[in-house]
Amino acid sequence: MYGGGSQSRARDQKSKKNVRKQVVTPPVKRFPMTNEAAPTSTKPSSFVPPNRDALLNAHHPNMRKKKEIDPKMLLNVQDYHNQARATLTRNAYDYYASGADDQLTLAENQNYYAKIKLLPKVFIDVSNINTKVSLFNNTQSIDFPVIIAPTAMQRMAHADGELATARAAASLKTIMCTSTLSTTKLEEIINQPEVADTGCMWYQLYILKDRDFTKTLVQRAEASGFKALVVTVDAPRLGNRESDHRNKFSLPDGLSLANLMDDLKKNGEGQTTSALNHYFKNQIDASLTWDDLDWLRGITSLPIIAKGVITPEDAIKAHEKGCAGIVVSNHGARQLDTAISTIEALPAISHALKSINSTCDIFVDGGIRRGTDILKALCLGAKAVLVGRPVLWGLAVNGEQGVKEVLTILKKEFELACMLCGINGTEKCSNDFLLMPGDTVMDKWLRSKL
Ligand code: GLV
């Protein structure tokens, strides 16, 4: 779609800069401490957008003045990331981009994809690629295997925030999972005509100490038409994100955690809180166990997806508790640093669930930036991937249109990766197309002859 012999020299140079490199996390932390390589490969960690504070846009305190950009020059997710970084305030950018502690897992989530090699097969009819995926025993379906991950406070990225993201998801015929920590009320997000008519939305839930309030959230989500509950299971506390501490992260004036306002008020917390950590500490129930899913099961008929599973043992527990799906996730590397990367964790989890004939659908998030990453995740047993930060970068750059463009890029890259690998449908994805780190083609070949 975007490539071709007649590209300008400028575009060629731009795309060369975007060739993905192994990301090395420097020992000393400096802004922008993110695993996603800065625009040039020379000095990633010293990149600072020009005149950050001088460029603050007066009418929208979350945004910097936008430079005119030619959207055609934004060819991939990294281009959107670079542009978003130059657009967002440090408060917002760092909140979205950062991981926990030294951000080693943040880097590894992406790096491990690069360590997995593709083994393409040739002379296969790839004139039609079926990118559709059906979920939960054919009760839901998406046009391509990319779902929008729950990310908090999207109105820091764009004034339209979650409303824009939901419209983009519906127009691309995929699912958006809305965060409990959204800056727009859940009913407003799903009740937009474009979304209500064609969209499929999931709702991400934190089980709070206040069970009555949690129950109200679940009932509101179900009544307004959300089609699954994605329960976060890896956040008894928020992880240690040092840039948020340095920035004294706060939700900008005029924005609020719209679904939690009653709860925040009841518990005496302000809406301009730097108090996300505070809220978590006080309100998230750190005593939760797998048995608490029985309580949830008792108050909803929606499918339950456990998000934050990273070991085969926990995947089996989720299955035993009747989860319709799991998201293999380390919370975008924002919780426990040095936790295993998600794509490295995926094969054992797929194997474990297959060995007990589980029908639990497997999803994976974390570090997906290219169509080849999506393909690798599917070959390792995922039904679909969830993407969070790439969507925020699209939203920051160009609202609904930016999210559509990022999703379209991923879809087209995935289609191309399938074609070039000799895969003409998502159901054909398998381990046969992969060489895992440490394996050799010779060993794989010999094993296949046993
Ligand atoms: C919320 O879920 C966060 O990771 O900040």
Side-chain angles (χ1 to χ4, degrees):
M1 109 189 198
Y2 293 116
S6 60
Q7 303 298 327
S8 70
R9 180 178 301 175
R11 188 174 300 184
D12 284 350
Q13 282 170 352
K14 176 110 186 166
S15 64
K16 268 183 212 151
K17 284 182 195 167
N18 284 306
V19 169
R20 188 158 57 165
K21 295 244 171 8
Q22 286 276 305
V23 182
V24 179
T25 308
V28 180
K29 293 191 273 296
R30 285 163 296 181
F31 179 77
M33 280 310 293
T34 164
N35 66 321
E36 299 174 39
T40 64
S41 56
T42 45
K43 284 198 172 173
S45 57
S46 62
F47 172 79
V48 178
N51 298 324
R52 299 180 67 95
D53 294 314
L55 289 177
L56 266 173
N57 180 328
H59 73 274
H60 194 314
N62 302 309
M63 310 301 292
R64 300 181 181 274
K65 193 173 161 198
K66 282 195 180 169
K67 281 192 244 140
E68 280 307 310
I69 41 154
D70 176 359
K72 290 201 194 72
M73 295 305 287
L74 300 177
L75 302 185
N76 55 43
V77 168
Q78 184 64 50
D79 286 347
Y80 273 90
H81 182 175
N82 297 340
Q83 190 61 34
R85 178 164 39 200
T87 303
L88 292 165
T89 61
R90 172 176 282 210
N91 181 62
Y93 174 79
D94 282 355
Y95 174 73
Y96 293 146
S98 56
D101 294 352
D102 296 316
Q103 311 191 100
L104 299 171
T105 299
L106 186 66
E108 190 67 356
N109 269 356
Q110 276 186 254
N111 285 341
Y112 204 85
Y113 276 100
K115 294 179 196 159
I116 301 171
K117 304 288 189 297
L118 288 166
L119 296 171
K121 299 189 193 311
V122 295
F123 252 18
I124 288 174
D125 180 355
V126 287
S127 52
N128 280 304
I129 310 285
N130 177 19
T131 61
K132 290 195 171 40
V133 179
S134 59
L135 309 174
F136 311 138
N137 274 326
N138 297 324
T139 54
Q140 295 180 23
S141 74
I142 44 181
D143 255 20
F144 61 110
V146 177
I147 290 170
I148 297 186
T151 54
M153 302 179 234
Q154 296 188 4
R155 289 186 64 210
M156 290 198 302
H158 189 277
D160 295 343
E162 293 86 0
L163 296 172
T165 307
R167 292 195 299 267
S171 86
L172 270 286
K173 296 197 171 48
T174 189
I175 293 167
M176 173 191 180
C177 181
T178 299
S179 169
T180 291
L181 303 179
S182 61
T183 35
T184 312
K185 277 204 164 135
L186 61 95
E187 289 86 358
E188 286 172 35
I189 303 171
I190 198 166
N191 286 341
Q192 305 178 85
E194 303 88 330
V195 179
D197 292 349
T198 57
C200 178
M201 303 276 296
W202 293 348
Y203 188 72
Q204 176 270 336
L205 181 76
Y206 289 110
I207 300 181
L208 307 169
K209 280 186 194 155
D210 184 340
R211 288 297 174 90
D212 289 341
F213 184 74
T214 311
K215 186 172 172 189
T216 312
L217 282 177
V218 171
Q219 288 170 337
R220 282 171 57 194
E222 191 159 359
S224 54
F226 284 84
K227 293 285 188 288
L229 283 180
V230 177
V231 182
T232 298
V233 296
D234 62 2
R237 281 279 161 85
L238 278 194
N240 176 38
R241 299 120 191 215
E242 293 177 353
S243 47
D244 289 344
H245 294 303
R246 287 197 189 95
N247 297 339
K248 299 191 175 38
F249 172 78
S250 65
L251 197 51
D253 286 349
L255 302 187
S256 67
L257 298 179
N259 298 313
L260 301 181
M261 281 315 293
D262 296 345
D263 204 38
L264 286 169
K265 278 189 203 135
K266 197 167 74 189
N267 290 290
E269 317 225 13
Q271 68 161 299
T272 55
T273 175
S274 68
L276 189 58
N277 280 300
H278 193 217
Y279 182 79
F280 258 73
K281 207 162 164 184
N282 290 326
Q283 306 308 326
I284 300 285
D285 189 347
S287 73
L288 292 174
T289 70
W290 285 102
D291 288 340
D292 290 292
L293 288 187
D294 297 336
W295 170 80
L296 189 59
R297 181 75 291 150
I299 61 162
T300 181
S301 56
L302 291 176
I304 294 173
I305 303 169
K307 175 175 173 289
V309 170
I310 203 82
T311 63
E313 294 84 354
D314 277 342
I316 290 174
K317 285 191 185 130
H319 158 87
E320 288 168 352
K321 285 292 171 190
C323 288
I326 56 166
V327 184
V328 178
S329 173
N330 49 33
H331 208 114
R334 293 159 75 75
Q335 292 294 95
L336 179 66
D337 199 22
T338 71
I340 187 171
S341 72
T342 49
I343 194 65
E344 189 174 5
L346 180 59
I349 290 175
S350 302
H351 183 80
L353 290 181
K354 208 168 167 186
S355 70
I356 56 169
N357 296 319
S358 172
T359 54
C360 191
D361 280 347
I362 303 174
F363 305 94
V364 65
D365 71 11
I368 294 120
R369 299 293 180 269
R370 285 286 189 186
T372 48
D373 298 339
I374 304 166
L375 181 60
K376 289 171 188 176
L378 265 61
C379 286
L380 289 174
K383 277 267 173 147
V385 301
L386 275 69
V387 291
R389 293 186 182 95
V391 167
L392 293 170
W393 308 148
L395 187 63
V397 170
N398 200 11
E400 177 183 346
Q401 188 55 29
V403 178
K404 282 186 192 164
E405 280 157 14
V406 165
L407 291 174
T408 304
I409 286 171
L410 288 173
K411 181 175 187 210
K412 297 209 169 190
E413 284 186 357
F414 174 67
E415 265 166 350
L416 182 60
C418 284
M419 282 187 103
L420 297 180
C421 233
I423 296 174
N424 51 25
T426 46
E427 72 289 353
K428 304 275 177 63
C429 289
S430 84
N431 200 314
D432 289 353
F433 294 92
L434 303 182
L435 187 68
M436 298 303 285
D439 202 358
T440 67
V441 182
M442 177 64 98
D443 286 347
K444 194 171 167 99
W445 168 251
L446 293 176
R447 282 198 308 273
S448 75
K449 297 287 136 206
L450 288 177

